[in-house]
Amino acid sequence: MHAPGLVLASGVLVGATAIAGSRLNGPFYRLVRPRLDRLAPEDRSRVITLIALLPWLLAVAVLIMAFLPSFVTIPGLIEDHCLPHDHHPHLCLVHGRWMPSGPLWGSVALLGLGGTLLWGRLVIRVFKAHRVVLNLMRVSRRQGALQVLPTQHPMAFTAGFIRPQTVVSDAVLAGLPLEDLDIVLRHEEGHAHRRDTLWRVILEALALAMAKSSRVLLLEDFSLACEEACDRRAIRGSVTPDRVAEVLLRMQRLGCLQPEGVVGATGSHLSRRVRALLGDPYPPRPQWMKALWLASLLLLAADPVHHMAETLLGWLLF
């Protein structure tokens, strides 16, 4: 490795930017949250995912902008930008061959330890929930496209990250009329098609550095959007929104259970989902969502970001 200092400094830059962005992301989400309520649930879930991703996109953008002068110097598109600046280490693929200092190693270790603690707890929790689901799948039987659990506890959920499967119990098969069961299965097919279980874990991993209260709020809103999207998927042919709402309430009266870490028809905020089904239709996609494409204008800030990052490294780490 010709530039170990450059590699470690890049890691610190990405990690510090992502953490700072995540801390600011909580107040930002609370600010924009009222505007998301009237989005269709499919759009709402995408916007929430994008908001959780913003600190990481910002970190990558800052890294790209910090190295952009170096990228255009190598082919000779501009004069060497490092020559007038010799008072700090260079984030440059040509002149960035410097060895890491003690403070830089300490910063990397601190960020690594924090990331290990945060993501380690999430991995352990996901692993435990996955193990419970695997044990249930082992005792289930295949019946057509379904996995059926031999239990009198009502259960209906979608399990699996990459190849999701719909799981129901004998109690649900026996307790629901065929028409109601079809609505429940359409809802679960929606979760499988959207891979909501996988996206929920990804979203939680992205939002781990947010303040806990804001993170919980964001994850609950995402879960609600996923459930509403799958409720809408069940509206097909002669099935009306009030018919779907009736089946959801019937599932709740059955006392339907689901393991932790999976998604199912009896998911979160049932009263709000019923109101959404029975209320006014969602308006068309708002024009302001198109403004997300303006993020490419951040490249115009490449030069000041580059010099600011180098100056901060010089102050803090050397």
Side-chain angles (χ1 to χ4, degrees):
M1 179 68 67
H2 294 292
L6 193 65
V7 173
L8 293 183
S10 299
V12 170
L13 185 62
V14 169
T17 303
I19 291 173
S22 294
R23 302 308 290 183
L24 295 173
N25 213 18
F28 172 72
Y29 179 68
R30 291 178 180 274
L31 180 66
V32 302
R33 184 172 180 251
R35 303 197 64 181
L36 305 182
D37 283 344
R38 290 305 298 165
L39 289 178
E42 296 84 359
D43 288 335
R44 199 185 326 141
S45 64
R46 294 188 190 103
V47 172
I48 291 173
T49 302
L50 176 61
I51 290 174
L53 192 58
L54 279 179
W56 301 95
L57 293 176
L58 177 64
V60 173
V62 166
L63 185 65
I64 291 174
M65 288 188 289
F67 278 96
L68 190 58
S70 174
F71 295 149
V72 296
T73 296
I74 292 176
L77 297 179
I78 63 172
E79 295 183 1
D80 193 331
H81 69 286
C82 293
L83 296 180
H85 306 281
D86 57 358
H87 62 285
H88 52 56
H90 295 292
L91 290 174
C92 175
L93 299 176
V94 178
H95 303 98
R97 298 180 180 181
W98 37 271
M99 296 302 295
S101 65
L104 180 56
W105 279 112
S107 299
V108 171
L110 188 62
L111 287 172
L113 178 61
T116 300
L117 291 175
L118 286 175
W119 279 313
R121 286 186 295 182
L122 175 62
V123 169
I124 291 172
R125 183 152 43 86
V126 170
F127 176 77
K128 288 181 177 179
H130 186 60
R131 187 169 56 185
V132 171
V133 172
L134 283 180
N135 290 334
L136 289 174
M137 298 294 282
R138 289 192 186 101
V139 301
S140 67
R141 67 180 187 274
R142 192 74 178 175
Q143 185 170 317
L146 303 177
Q147 292 293 132
V148 180
L149 292 171
T151 175
Q152 293 308 306
H153 293 291
M155 303 181 78
F157 58 89
T158 299
F161 294 122
I162 307 302
R163 294 188 294 272
Q165 300 182 68
T166 298
V167 183
V168 297
S169 67
D170 283 329
V172 170
L173 294 179
L176 289 181
L178 187 59
E179 297 81 4
D180 291 2
L181 180 63
D182 185 57
I183 291 174
V184 172
L185 296 183
R186 287 183 187 179
H187 177 100
E188 298 304 333
E189 288 170 2
H191 283 306
H193 177 75
R194 291 166 49 87
R195 288 182 169 81
D196 285 333
T197 301
L198 175 63
W199 279 109
R200 164 75 189 216
V201 173
I202 292 175
L203 196 71
E204 191 165 357
L206 292 172
L208 275 177
M210 288 178 65
K212 183 177 179 180
S213 59
S214 298
R215 181 175 72 248
V216 169
L217 189 64
L218 181 141
L219 293 173
E220 286 183 352
D221 289 347
F222 178 78
S223 296
L224 174 60
C226 292
E227 296 297 342
E228 286 187 23
C230 294
D231 292 342
R232 282 155 55 94
R233 185 183 177 89
I235 302 170
R236 194 184 306 168
S238 61
V239 177
T240 59
D242 58 324
R243 186 78 178 86
V244 175
E246 178 186 346
V247 172
L248 293 178
L249 293 173
R250 182 170 295 175
M251 290 288 288
Q252 185 187 48
R253 287 194 293 269
L254 282 176
C256 205
L257 305 173
Q258 62 189 50
E260 182 182 357
V262 300
V263 289
T266 55
S268 58
H269 305 290
L270 187 58
S271 61
R272 290 184 60 180
R273 291 164 57 193
V274 169
R275 288 198 300 270
L277 284 167
L278 301 181
D280 296 329
Y282 291 99
R285 181 173 297 178
Q287 294 296 316
W288 61 263
M289 289 187 66
K290 297 179 180 179
L292 297 174
W293 297 104
L294 298 177
S296 59
L297 295 178
L298 286 173
L299 292 178
L300 297 176
D303 191 60
V305 168
H306 169 82
H307 290 295
M308 180 178 68
E310 289 185 332
T311 301
L312 288 175
L313 282 173
W315 286 349
L316 300 177
L317 304 177
F318 297 90

